[in-house]
Amino acid sequence: MSSAKTFRVLPGFRLTLGYTLIYLSLLILIPLAAVFLKTAELSWGEFIAVVTAPQVVATYKLSFGASLLAAAINAVFGLLLAWALVRYSFPGKKLVDALVDLPFALPTAVAGIALTALYAKNGWLGQYLEPLGIKVAFAPLGVLVALVFIGLPFVVRTVQPILEDLDTELEEAAASLGAQRWQTFRYVLLPILLPALLTGFALAFARAVGEYGSVIFIAGNLPFVSEITPLMIITKLEQYDYRGATAIASVMLLFSFVLLLLINGLQAWTAKRTGRDR
Amino acid sequence: MAGATTLHLAGDHASRFESNAATRETPLVKWTILCIALGFFAIFLLLPLVAVFVEALRKGWETYVMALTDADALSAVRLTLLAAAISVPLNLVFGVAAAWAIAKFEFRGKQFLITLIDLPFSVSPVIAGLVFVLLFGAQGWFGSWLSAHDIRIVFAVPGIVLATVFVTFPFVARELIPLMQAQGREEEEAAVVLGASGWQVFWHVTLPNIKWGLLYGVILTNARAMGEFGAVSVVSGHIRGQTNTLPLHVEILYNEYQFSAAFAVASLLALLALVTLVIKNWVEHQAARSHKESQESAS
């Protein structure tokens, strides 16, 4: 404690910290605690019955499965896109760089109806995909497409700054020691990029699991087929089943907390590996 | 969680890599990577954006203008602006206060506090709406007290504002904390020693240093506030002309099969997103320039 009580030159510590804690508690912590307290009204058996009901379990499988797959797709293509943006010059590069953030800025409902229009049976892409037997809109594949859209900037924007900061000397050393370009990437660059890539993956995954707006339009929301977990909460709420809704919400919240801690750990690892503060 | 959205300052250094034999790929590899990356970009990002505008104008300008000047659309615009006008300043003040406490002082549990501030990023928007239904809904903790005093929060404007504040909570704080931590506290301490008051220090020393980061955070907050769908959808009750924001209006029109009108309203939101990206780029450019200038004057 004594080290924290050293003389402070700057004013406003109590005021700003106090305000921060009160605002945080009133707006975020107390409301989130309400979810767990409401869930506690259920007995353990009832809770388990709600959160392991077959229809709910089907939504976990879709939400977590599609989110993992989407994050993996984004990790691969996001790395390629970040690489292209940092390493190559091409016309329209500034525009591409700026538009990578589109999923952050575009309201999810807009993304949802736009993707549905593209992949529906008579849509721009759907008309070519459906004859091939690939049904995207109103099917689980549609959920995946929406989650890929939502998650892409997370990977690009975590990997890009690390790539920009890389010294060329590492690759020069590898090349002068006779390494092939692919070997340099595999054994020199990838280990450096890995923490950032995993952070981007985890961020995209966390966002995808909770995503609602962009998914519900394209998913079709068929029970046991294309229902996501957040939709399950809404369905229960609309049936005035508040306890059921909060039980599922607390499962999702617990999962988010674990993921958040994991991401913090990954970011600390990235900082250590690359010597950056963020 | 905001790591992916924080302001970063880097110019274009592609030539540095392309001119060096050790850091470039063979043309075949380079063009393959470029084609895959840009193809993916075009299909997953560009095409949906183009689709919004094409679908919006499919039935001509007249339908487009009618959809936007419809009374329900206009009331949705007003409510969206109102929600943003309340939540942006609230979270701006919070962000500055939190960043001041965290960046300028040492205390125990600081890292934990930062994690807590990040929480709303990792909570599903649906849950962000649900919590306010649990607190203020008819069956909620304060439900009976509120209805006895004839105050409506859920399925009314206050609920929409609360949900918006919740989902936009961390943006400004997450932008400012790393920025102010990097800047340290020497300048402010010098100002205090020279006799400046707390407010003077903030206005004349801190604010000029953080203005670009602050603006960046405000833009992100505003974009999210105007575009939020999931959280607002849970607390809104979807009362046309009363508790409908623009994204909710898009949903209603879409579900009524008024596709052109839905896309017309959506195009308004897409324009907002594009304007956000333009301002964001401009801010990054300005921040990079002032960062460079301060480095040059320091050396």
Side-chain angles (χ1 to χ4, degrees):
Chain A
M1 261 328 260
S2 61
S3 67
K5 280 190 177 165
T6 46
F7 178 70
R8 295 188 182 103
V9 180
L10 295 178
F13 176 64
R14 281 162 187 236
L15 176 74
T16 53
L17 186 64
Y19 180 72
T20 301
L21 291 176
I22 291 170
Y23 189 76
L24 178 74
S25 306
L26 283 180
L27 247 142
I28 310 294
L29 300 182
I30 294 174
L32 286 179
V35 173
F36 294 110
L37 288 171
K38 185 84 184 170
T39 309
E41 289 175 11
L42 292 167
S43 74
W44 182 247
E46 287 171 315
F47 173 76
I48 294 295
V50 170
V51 300
T52 59
Q55 194 180 353
V56 180
V57 172
T59 70
Y60 298 148
K61 283 183 187 157
L62 178 64
S63 272
F64 289 88
S67 300
L68 268 178
L69 199 55
I73 291 172
N74 278 327
V76 173
F77 289 94
L79 175 63
L80 285 178
L81 196 53
W83 185 273
L85 285 171
V86 173
R87 296 275 171 140
Y88 307 138
S89 340
F90 53 89
K93 178 168 158 176
K94 281 219 164 95
L95 190 72
V96 174
D97 195 11
L99 280 179
V100 163
D101 284 328
L102 184 72
F104 285 150
L106 194 71
T108 52
V110 178
I113 65 168
L115 290 170
T116 312
L118 289 177
Y119 291 97
K121 203 161 80 185
N122 48 5
W124 297 6
L125 298 171
Q127 58 179 321
Y128 302 109
L129 292 172
E130 295 232 340
L132 300 173
I134 306 169
K135 192 167 161 56
V136 181
F138 316 123
L141 203 53
V143 178
L144 181 69
V145 167
L147 296 181
V148 169
F149 174 85
I150 287 299
L152 182 66
F154 288 100
V155 176
V156 178
R157 293 305 188 219
T158 43
V159 172
Q160 196 178 13
I162 310 292
L163 264 178
E164 272 164 359
D165 282 359
L166 270 185
D167 275 327
T168 53
E169 285 142 31
L170 284 172
E171 291 161 70
E172 283 161 10
S176 72
L177 291 170
Q180 300 291 313
R181 191 72 189 120
W182 166 249
Q183 289 174 314
T184 308
F185 178 78
R186 171 66 187 81
Y187 297 105
V188 178
L189 296 178
L190 199 58
I192 300 174
L193 295 176
L194 192 65
L197 199 58
L198 282 176
T199 308
F201 174 87
L203 286 168
F205 178 59
R207 171 72 200 264
V209 168
E211 178 57 23
Y212 176 71
S214 61
V215 175
I216 50 150
F217 293 98
I218 198 169
N221 309 326
L222 305 164
F224 293 101
V225 177
S226 58
E227 264 185 340
I228 53 167
T229 310
L231 179 74
M232 214 57 239
I233 297 176
I234 301 251
T235 312
K236 299 250 177 211
L237 266 183
E238 280 171 354
Q239 295 160 353
Y240 299 102
D241 180 5
Y242 284 46
R243 289 175 177 180
T246 46
I248 299 170
S250 48
V251 171
M252 286 194 73
L253 271 180
L254 275 179
F255 178 76
S256 311
F257 294 157
V258 172
L259 212 55
L260 185 64
L261 291 177
L262 185 78
I263 289 166
N264 275 355
L266 279 170
Q267 279 172 338
W269 184 30
T270 313
K272 223 169 100 184
R273 183 66 74 91
T274 57
R276 291 170 60 97
D277 332 299
R278 308 189 223 149
Chain B
M1 284 282 291
T5 54
T6 41
L7 186 67
H8 83 100
L9 316 166
D12 189 351
H13 301 298
S15 55
R16 171 168 76 110
F17 298 106
E18 285 182 319
S19 59
N20 188 334
T23 55
R24 68 172 174 232
E25 289 77 40
T26 58
L28 179 70
V29 174
K30 174 185 164 177
W31 287 109
T32 313
I33 292 176
L34 263 182
C35 284
I36 296 174
L38 294 181
F40 186 81
F41 168 84
I43 291 177
F44 277 93
L45 293 189
L46 205 55
L47 211 54
L49 181 66
V50 175
V52 172
F53 291 101
V54 172
E55 294 289 331
L57 293 170
R58 175 156 287 185
K59 292 204 177 138
W61 276 101
E62 209 167 313
T63 322
Y64 184 81
V65 173
M66 273 213 345
L68 294 185
T69 50
D70 176 71
D72 288 339
L74 290 177
S75 91
V77 170
R78 272 195 297 274
L79 184 54
T80 295
L81 291 176
L82 177 75
I86 296 174
S87 50
V88 171
L90 277 180
N91 286 332
L92 173 68
V93 171
F94 160 74
V96 172
W100 182 268
I102 288 170
K104 305 292 179 192
F105 302 96
E106 295 306 321
F107 55 93
R108 289 208 299 183
K110 188 194 272 195
Q111 207 50 48
F112 184 62
L113 180 62
I114 296 176
T115 305
L116 287 181
I117 290 174
D118 271 349
L119 256 182
F121 276 140
S122 57
V123 170
S124 173
V126 169
I127 296 177
L130 170 75
V131 294
F132 294 109
V133 175
L134 291 180
L135 288 177
F136 304 118
Q139 302 180 29
W141 287 0
F142 304 108
S144 48
W145 186 88
L146 288 171
S147 63
H149 291 77
D150 205 22
I151 304 170
R152 285 187 71 89
I153 293 185
V154 169
F155 306 139
V157 175
I160 290 176
V161 172
L162 276 173
T164 309
V165 174
F166 186 105
V167 293
T168 56
F169 180 85
F171 285 102
V172 176
R174 273 320 254 157
E175 210 53 58
L176 291 183
I177 291 167
L179 187 66
M180 282 167 71
Q181 277 179 330
Q183 280 165 351
R185 51 184 166 230
E186 285 87 1
E187 289 185 41
E188 280 89 354
E189 282 172 351
V192 169
V193 170
L194 291 170
S197 73
W199 277 115
Q200 286 174 319
V201 173
F202 179 74
W203 282 109
H204 299 291
V205 180
T206 309
L207 198 59
N209 279 334
I210 61 169
K211 64 181 176 200
W212 297 119
L214 195 71
L215 189 56
Y216 196 86
V218 166
I219 296 161
L220 295 179
T221 308
N222 182 62
R224 182 70 194 265
M226 290 192 175
E228 178 52 28
F229 176 74
V232 169
S233 160
V234 174
V235 293
S236 129
H238 305 275
I239 307 163
R240 260 191 133 138
Q242 284 180 41
T243 60
N244 240 359
T245 62
L246 275 176
L248 296 178
H249 193 55
V250 170
E251 186 200 19
I252 287 189
L253 291 172
Y254 191 84
N255 287 342
E256 287 174 350
Y257 300 101
Q258 302 189 44
F259 293 132
S260 289
F263 277 102
V265 178
S267 74
L268 207 61
L269 289 166
L271 270 180
L272 172 80
L274 290 178
V275 170
T276 302
L277 293 183
V278 169
I279 301 176
K280 184 176 159 294
N281 264 318
W282 179 76
V283 169
E284 273 174 346
H285 184 74
Q286 295 295 321
R289 214 175 63 177
S290 70
H291 183 69
K292 212 168 137 193
E293 275 167 11
S294 69
Q295 275 188 333
E296 275 163 7
S297 65
S299 61

